[in-house]
């Protein structure tokens, strides 16, 4: 069964939601049969590339609140993160365009290192002092730590068209599925879970999605048999007759 998760690196609830989902997934009896795929969703796609701003003043301006209210909101997020064993810097963080990070995540998906990269990007953005915005070499370092080749990561970041279409396709699908915010979890393309729900909610969703899987219906005329290939070889008409072995 596949679980697709639409997220943005700039989204603190995506950081928390990933930890809550993974707690439910780790306890799920069929864990080894679940494929997790991370999808792209930019919360602020029009944010100027290369521009970096402080988070607290940005939040105050965006939501029409005071800086003190923004500090309080960030403090609440820090408590939620701590509840999942995550570090979170409530003050001193910055914000910028995340498009290049999403492009790198598509490279990581092709190399089988997507979960490693997104985990490191979250930690770098929310828990570490050095910014992940406006610093190509910082992103290359994180990509390398996730197991990607440094020169390949640098090459992707140098070419704005690499994986750009993949990011836009993810965002188009999110819109078609009705996602208006992130994190947004889609289980087996049948069930959706919006937000950083408690682990118990994710556990229930996994059980429900797993239990509702429909067995494959094989369509063929009654009593008909056609030639197939299997582990023991291929069926050959007249096999068993001299000279007709597969």
């Amino acid at each position: 069964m596949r679980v697709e998760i639409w997220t943005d690196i700039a989204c603190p609830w995506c950081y928390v939601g990933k930890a809550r989902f993974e707690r439910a997934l780790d306890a799920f009896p069929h864990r080894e049969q679940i494929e997790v795929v991370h999808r792209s969703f930019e919360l602020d796609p029009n944010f100027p590339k290369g521009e970096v701003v402080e988070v607290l003043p940005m939040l105050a301006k965006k939501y029409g609140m005071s800086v003190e209210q923004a500090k309080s909101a960030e403090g609440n997020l820090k408590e939620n993160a701590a509840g999942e064993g995550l570090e979170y810097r409530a003050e001193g963080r910055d914000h910028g365009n995340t498009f290049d990070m999403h492009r790198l995540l598509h490279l990581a998906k092709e190399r089988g290192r997507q979960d490693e990269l997104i985990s490191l990007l979250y930690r770098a953005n929310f828990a570490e002092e050095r910014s992940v915005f406006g610093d190509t070499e910082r992103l290359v370092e994180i990509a390398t730590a996730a197991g990607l080749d440094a020169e390949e990561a640098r090459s992707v970041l140098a070419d704005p068209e690499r994986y750009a279409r993949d990011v836009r396709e993810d965002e188009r699908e999110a819109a078609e599925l009705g996602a208006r915010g992130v994190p947004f979890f889609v289980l087996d393309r049948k069930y959706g879970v919006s937000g950083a729900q408690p682990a118990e909610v994710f556990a229930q969703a996994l059980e429900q999605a797993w239990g509702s899987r429909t067995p494959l219906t094989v369509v063929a005329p009654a009593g008909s048999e056609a030639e197939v290939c299997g582990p023991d070889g291929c069926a050959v008409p007249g096999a068993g007759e001299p000279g007709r072995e597969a």
Side-chain angles (χ1 to χ4, degrees), residues 178-197:
R180 298 290 179 266
V182 286
F184 189 71
F185 301 76
V186 176
L187 291 76
D188 213 25
R189 285 293 168 120
K190 292 181 181 178
Y191 297 92
V193 178
S194 180
Q197 300 287 347

Side-chain angles (χ1 to χ4, degrees), residues 79 82 96-98 114 137 176 182 189 195 200 219 226-227 230:
E79 290 180 10
N97 187 288
T98 59
Q114 193 184 41
E137 286 308 305
E176 288 184 353
V182 286
R189 285 293 168 120
E200 295 76 17
V219 179
E227 293 77 13

Side-chain angles (χ1 to χ4, degrees), residues 114-132:
Q114 193 184 41
D115 191 70
E116 289 82 359
L117 180 57
I118 198 169
S119 295
L120 289 175
L121 285 171
Y122 278 143
R123 177 174 176 78
N125 185 38
F126 293 110
E128 298 176 0
E129 290 189 18
R130 186 177 170 188
S131 177
V132 296

